[in-house]
Amino acid sequence: MTETHKNYIAGEWRGSESASRNLNPSDTNDLVGLYAQASAADVEAAVAAARAAFPTWSRTTPLERHDILARIAAEMTARRDELGDLLAREEGKTLPEAIGEVSRAALTFDFFAGEALRIPGEKFGSLRPGVDVEVTREGVGVVGVIAPWNFPLVIPSWKIAPALCYGNCIIFKPAELVTASAHKLAEIIVRAGVPAGVFNLVMGRGSVVGQAMLDHPRIDALTFTGSVATGRKVAEACTARMRKFQLEMGGKNPLIVLDDADLKTAVEVAVNGAYFSTGQRCTASSRLIVTKGVYGRFADALAERMRALTVDDARKPGVHIGPVVDDGQLQQDLSYVEIGKGEGATLKLGGERLNRATPGFYMAPALFVDADNDMRIAREEIFGPVATMIPARDYDHALALANDTEFGLCGGICTTSLKYASHYKRNAEVGMAMVNLPTAGVDYHAPFGGRKGSSLGAREQGRYAVEFYTTVKTAYTMA
Ligand code: NAD
């Protein structure tokens, strides 16, 4: 009989009445495991434990927190290949991508181990004689972490590591599809010596566990990454409770290719940004905006490069693109291919379901050309291996098209012109701008986030994370 992996609440592993089946999207005959489904009562118990743990945990020394975070980083690094294999098996990104994700997650814990020793503060001279003014930062309290499925380890890590670093307690709800990586991460965190109540894992449905977190009056702050629709619910619930929150949501990220771009570089940047990780990245280059002097040559070169991509089992050596994460997402991707055709865009390549040796959710990467920026395939996030090429008259037109979107996460430009690169960096309405680099792929120590409909609240990652996970106190002393 397959064992059910339990939730971790108040310092103990707890079972539940029901379990969810975690299936391998490369081979649906492969059961990755059974995972306990938490209830609203489990969330209640987790919050109570976290509240009880906060006064002691928030007063631990920076060194104690450093050591725990460093131990988590060390174990993740040592088990990189094993954790990467599990991640690829449950989510469907290729093995090198999955192992890379584990490394980045480990580096994130390592970074915040260091940050625990560098918690910033300031001292001001006062307007009044003999008075000192000190500005310090304290943890906000109990932090709810709600994560998506597309980066099963790295997104939880870039939330959990700073939360622990600054002395917060955590209720972690992973996405339903990627409980295996979340469970492994929880085991590692527990083994590193986090006291009971400080870290709690509650796996289960968004509508049950996630909603119970939104409704809970004693969670002090909520960090969320996921879709715009769910983000809106998080914002409404948090606003109603006057609670701090942070949202990272969707994107419709443009990559501009100018006539003067190095064609080979532009094709690699586009293939990587649009199709790697099966296009399931919030930073994916789903709109390719190409000026007319290079349009035809770029489309042909990109299509030729795409024909050399292998789509197969995520864990097979040499595979470039794994399966789509599940049947629901695959149906959404395929339906957008039909929508694009119906809107009058030309499907140059791909877009069909593929059969492989094992039953999985395989799809040929799709390229639409001659699309209009007003089409649904250019405006709505598809979240799959589908890119839409849009012609532009010149740089100014390309920039206007790039900015004509309700999203603002990431954007890129391929050009050899310093003038256009500089102008683009200044005028792109995005949180992250890339020059001659894929829109997807960021450094773990630099701020991550967007603007417009993509993000709300403080930035994630690096030193900027301190804004969300701490609250500032200004103390006045008369000596
Ligand atoms: P989703 O919104 O469906 O789910 C995200 C999380 O919210 C899951 O854990 C889910 O269980 C939970 N949830 C669902 N309903 C809830 C509710 N009523 N209350 C509380 N929680 C609830 O998103 P997804 O399908 O897991 O992820 C894909 C989306 O995430 C895409 O839109 C993608 O662009 C976005 N994303 C954004 C970033 C970023 O940093 N901007 C990064 C990765 C993914």
Side-chain angles (χ1 to χ4, degrees):
M1 210 179 91
T2 314
E3 166 211 5
T4 299
H5 296 82
K6 296 176 176 164
N7 288 304
Y8 188 74
I9 297 165
E12 55 181 48
W13 295 99
R14 289 196 192 173
S16 67
E17 278 172 14
S18 57
S20 70
R21 288 158 55 80
N22 183 332
L23 296 180
N24 176 350
S26 299
D27 176 3
T28 52
N29 290 328
D30 174 28
L31 176 69
V32 179
L34 295 177
Y35 291 85
Q37 296 233 302
S39 61
D42 289 324
V43 173
E44 185 62 49
V47 175
R51 284 241 76 87
F54 181 68
T56 308
W57 174 245
S58 59
R59 287 176 182 82
T60 48
T61 64
L63 187 60
E64 284 173 73
R65 299 201 296 280
H66 163 277
D67 290 352
I68 286 174
L69 290 162
R71 280 197 287 274
I72 296 169
E75 183 171 342
M76 288 179 97
T77 305
R79 294 173 61 194
R80 215 169 67 114
D81 292 350
E82 170 211 338
L83 295 171
D85 185 75
L86 183 65
L87 198 162
R89 186 174 160 211
E90 76 169 342
E91 198 271 350
K93 64 183 65 176
T94 65
L95 204 47
E97 287 172 333
I99 292 171
E101 180 171 339
V102 181
S103 294
R104 189 171 148 204
L107 285 165
T108 301
F109 276 100
D110 191 51
F111 178 88
F112 284 104
E115 286 303 282
L117 303 175
R118 286 189 291 267
I119 296 177
E122 278 188 290
K123 198 161 179 181
F124 296 150
S126 172
L127 306 181
R128 289 163 283 176
V131 172
D132 277 338
V133 185
E134 286 168 297
V135 180
T136 52
R137 289 185 177 268
E138 298 174 4
V140 286
V142 176
V143 176
V145 171
I146 302 182
W149 50 261
N150 64 332
F151 283 94
L153 272 184
V154 100
I155 291 179
S157 296
W158 84 38
K159 296 176 186 296
I160 292 168
L164 292 175
C165 166
Y166 299 114
N168 300 283
C169 295
I170 297 163
I171 316 294
F172 169 38
K173 190 216 127 12
E176 296 91 310
L177 291 172
V178 292
T179 43
S181 298
H183 199 273
K184 284 281 178 234
L185 177 61
E187 285 176 346
I188 292 170
I189 291 171
V190 170
R191 216 173 0 254
V194 171
V198 170
F199 170 83
N200 300 273
L201 171 72
V202 282
M203 300 175 288
R205 298 226 306 276
S207 57
V208 177
V209 178
Q211 193 64 45
M213 290 168 70
L214 301 195
D215 294 340
H216 205 291
R218 301 192 76 210
I219 291 181
D220 301 297
L222 255 158
T223 173
F224 169 83
T225 301
S227 63
V228 175
T230 313
R232 192 162 284 133
K233 289 184 192 165
V234 176
E236 282 166 8
C238 290
T239 308
R241 298 191 183 286
M242 303 285 210
R243 172 168 58 198
K244 193 171 189 181
F245 66 98
Q246 173 186 59
L247 308 177
E248 291 296 348
M249 301 172 288
K252 195 71 196 176
N253 310 289
L255 173 70
I256 296 174
V257 179
L258 295 186
D259 289 357
D260 68 14
D262 178 86
L263 192 63
K264 210 163 163 255
T265 303
V267 167
E268 284 313 306
V269 163
V271 161
N272 179 322
Y275 301 116
F276 286 0
S277 299
T278 323
Q280 298 173 153
R281 297 188 283 197
C282 50
T283 48
S285 319
S286 46
R287 290 186 299 146
L288 307 173
I289 300 171
V290 185
T291 48
K292 60 177 192 291
V294 71
Y295 191 88
R297 275 185 297 139
F298 177 77
D300 290 343
L302 179 57
E304 193 187 319
R305 177 73 178 80
M306 286 168 67
R307 283 188 195 99
L309 297 173
T310 41
V311 180
D312 208 329
D313 189 317
R315 293 187 296 161
K316 257 194 193 168
V319 167
H320 301 107
I321 297 178
V324 172
V325 73
D326 71 354
D327 190 48
Q329 184 64 51
L330 176 63
Q331 296 313 323
Q332 175 168 317
D333 299 346
L334 295 171
S335 80
Y336 270 106
V337 172
E338 292 312 310
I339 289 168
K341 287 197 255 178
E343 290 179 305
T346 305
L347 182 64
K348 189 168 173 74
L349 191 76
E352 69 277 9
R353 188 170 186 168
L354 299 171
N355 291 317
R356 292 294 177 258
T358 48
F361 307 114
Y362 300 106
M363 176 175 170
L367 178 64
F368 276 109
V369 294
D370 300 338
D372 189 287
N373 200 45
D374 290 330
M375 291 176 177
R376 285 181 64 193
I377 54 166
R379 301 209 81 80
E380 297 170 17
E381 185 182 51
I382 299 172
F383 219 56
V386 183
T388 299
M389 244 176 96
I390 302 163
R393 289 187 298 278
D394 53 21
Y395 167 73
D396 290 332
H397 185 213
L399 178 66
L401 290 170
N403 284 340
D404 177 13
T405 168
E406 66 187 61
F407 295 107
L409 187 59
C410 195
I413 189 166
C414 288
T415 180
T416 50
S417 152
L418 182 60
K419 183 179 99 175
Y420 290 133
S422 305
H423 188 275
Y424 177 74
K425 283 187 282 180
R426 278 198 300 273
N427 293 284
E429 294 170 5
V430 293
M432 295 170 289
M434 308 289 181
V435 178
N436 297 320
L437 286 168
T439 52
V442 295
D443 288 2
Y444 67 88
H445 65 304
F448 181 98
R451 59 172 80 169
K452 292 160 66 175
S454 290
S455 303
L456 200 62
R459 286 284 186 267
E460 303 206 74
Q461 290 204 142
R463 284 191 314 202
Y464 283 65
V466 77
E467 283 307 327
F468 183 74
Y469 294 96
T470 65
T471 179
V472 168
K473 182 177 281 172
T474 310
Y476 293 80
T477 311
M478 177 74 186

